[in-house]
Amino acid sequence: PVCCEEAEPARGRMTANPIIEEVVLWETNIQASGVRNLPEIGWVHAMPVEDRADVGSYWSGYPSVFGEKNVKRPRRVDATLGQQAGFMATRKQVEYFHTTACPGGFLPPYDDQTQWKGDSLQRHSVEFWSGGFQLFGQCFLNRIVPLDPRRFERQLLYHVSNNKQRSAPAKKFIRVGDFYGQLMRVKEKAEDLLKQSVR
């Protein structure tokens, strides 16, 4: 994948030019994921978000949830909420986050005690600030990843330290190729449902 090109000799624990079967995601799960067809973007993976932020998507568990009926869509499964590892934004976007999207603001100081309790700079982990939890938790923004294969792979970052394989339980990992295949199957189901509704 384009995300992980690493010429010989590889640095540190990195593998030079890994193949798709060697690239894994962690802390993500198809059971909390959905897909949606957006104008000008096409089909996207709708990543888990807070209930009040969800703009709607075709859930991977619809119409019966992996063999069980009448189960509510989870926002996470076994704490696998799709750690996104970071975000990039323009100054204008950060200004929008701060003044419009995020209750209590996006940038310090955090004076709104209805949104930020106690010392807001201490109570959160690094994932909250640099990993993007603040954006889809505190700010209620949606997270999408295009399903076009070339655009999808450009959303992946190579975790250079390669330490998660030793520190996280195996159940929190999934091969990128397997997860992408699951998303494509959900997309096919959504397309089938759309065709039926047009008839």
Side-chain angles (χ1 to χ4, degrees), residues 2 4 31-32 44 78 86 90 92 116-117 120 133 158 188:
V2 75
C4 310
Q31 292 183 34
V44 296
D78 295 331
T90 65
K92 190 167 185 156
W116 298 98
K117 308 233 183 319
S120 59
F133 281 22
Y158 198 171
E188 289 169 10

Side-chain angles (χ1 to χ4, degrees), residues 79-106:
T80 55
L81 51 78
Q83 169 57 303
Q84 66 194 45
F87 69 93
M88 293 187 292
T90 65
R91 285 183 184 188
K92 190 167 185 156
Q93 289 169 326
V94 170
E95 183 180 353
Y96 170 76
F97 299 159
H98 186 65
T99 60
T100 306
C102 305
F106 182 74

Side-chain angles (χ1 to χ4, degrees), residues 87-156:
F87 69 93
M88 293 187 292
T90 65
R91 285 183 184 188
K92 190 167 185 156
Q93 289 169 326
V94 170
E95 183 180 353
Y96 170 76
F97 299 159
H98 186 65
T99 60
T100 306
C102 305
F106 182 74
L107 301 169
Y110 302 105
D111 299 326
D112 183 346
Q113 289 298 304
T114 61
Q115 300 297 328
W116 298 98
K117 308 233 183 319
D119 184 349
S120 59
L121 294 176
Q122 271 191 330
R123 73 182 181 105
H124 296 293
S125 65
V126 66
E127 284 84 4
F128 183 84
W129 301 109
S130 66
F133 281 22
Q134 180 186 17
L135 290 172
F136 67 90
Q138 185 76 16
C139 301
F140 319 125
L141 297 178
N142 279 258
R143 305 180 298 154
I144 60 169
V145 179
L147 288 181
D148 171 77
R150 297 305 292 169
R151 293 176 77 189
F152 181 85
E153 72 177 4
R154 284 178 164 73
Q155 306 303 311
L156 304 175

Side-chain angles (χ1 to χ4, degrees), residues 17-29:
N17 300 312
I19 58 174
I20 193 71
E21 291 79 15
E22 296 174 323
V23 180
V24 297
L25 299 172
W26 66 86
E27 296 178 6
T28 195
N29 190 306

